[in-house]
Amino acid sequence: VAQIDLALEREELVILYQPKVDLRDGTIVGAEALLRWRLPGYGDIPPSQFIPLAEENNLILDIGEWVLNRVCGDYRKWQRQVANPGRVSINLSLRQLRQATFITRFRSVFTKHEVSPTCFELEITETTLMADTKRTVKLLDELYAMGLHLSIDDFGTGYSSLSALQQFPIGTLKIDQSFVRNAAVDANDATIVKTIIDMGRSLNMEVVAEGVESEHQLGFLRSHRCNFGQGRLFGDAMTADELLTLLTEQRTGQKRLEKLFA
């Protein structure tokens, strides 16, 4: 725990970006900000291994604010080069949502970096959504009123009911990669993915498929009119500068993913 505590001080935390792609034509329309702990001697430690510890010890609040500041700073840099870098999504934890000053602190970060909340999306898991429904609805309504886009991460794994979902101001469903992985070959996974895409469309929500790794999966998702995808097929998680290079190339008419969508 002490090491996590010092991770911020020692500048061991890094943000990488996973591009999000329009599945109609391969245009990069934004990215997901991914947090990594680059611990000397151990390499990159994924959030699944250190975020639960950080939550238990209330370090998640400082880490969450650090992430938002870093992402807003990167976004401001991109905007100087590219008119519209797209929408960047950031993961939000239950502990952050429960913090009394959460909304005020978020708003002040956007103001400080002179970026609009409309450029960002907050990703919340189904479990987080259902933890304290009444309070969560109120908070999400406030965030939505600020202009933030809201999405449900790992959709399909949390067993929330459709009627429960409809009370939240959610704009995006992200299909968990465990379903996407075998959707092109497994009938059950295919049915789940098709159902989520259809449900999203009927509720006027965007649908993003996570963990797209093969052309086979891409073909399946495109044939069922899934809006967006992210995954290694479109590029590994990359630095802010690497993403800026892709966005700049795209602006000048070079589309790196064109062949996949020919």
Side-chain angles (χ1 to χ4, degrees), residues 76 87 112 132 155 179 181 236 251:
R76 193 77 190 98
R87 200 162 57 212
K112 181 174 100 179
D132 178 357
F155 188 73
F179 302 123
R181 190 174 298 122
D236 286 327
R251 192 193 61 185

Side-chain angles (χ1 to χ4, degrees), residues 172-173 175 196-197 200-201 205-209 226-229:
T172 302
L173 300 179
I175 309 173
I196 295 173
I197 294 170
R201 190 175 296 118
M205 292 181 183
E206 295 175 353
V207 179
V208 181
C226 182
N227 307 108
F228 304 105

Side-chain angles (χ1 to χ4, degrees), residues 60-79:
I60 193 66
L61 307 180
D62 291 337
I63 290 173
E65 197 157 335
W66 179 88
V67 168
L68 187 63
N69 269 292
R70 181 55 58 96
V71 172
C72 286
D74 287 343
Y75 201 90
R76 193 77 190 98
K77 275 188 216 158
W78 297 335
Q79 279 185 317

Side-chain angles (χ1 to χ4, degrees), residues 23 25 32 63 66 81 90 114 117 126 130 165 174 186-187 191 193 198 202 240 251:
L23 294 187
D25 59 5
E32 179 181 354
I63 290 173
W66 179 88
Q81 308 283 328
I90 300 165
E114 299 178 336
E126 281 182 86
M130 306 317 295
L165 279 184
K174 294 193 82 173
D186 180 287
T191 302
V193 171
D198 292 342
S202 66
R251 192 193 61 185

Side-chain angles (χ1 to χ4, degrees), residues 35-49:
L35 178 64
R36 296 286 181 269
W37 180 13
R38 199 154 277 173
L39 187 59
Y42 290 89
D44 282 9
I45 300 176
S48 55
Q49 289 180 29

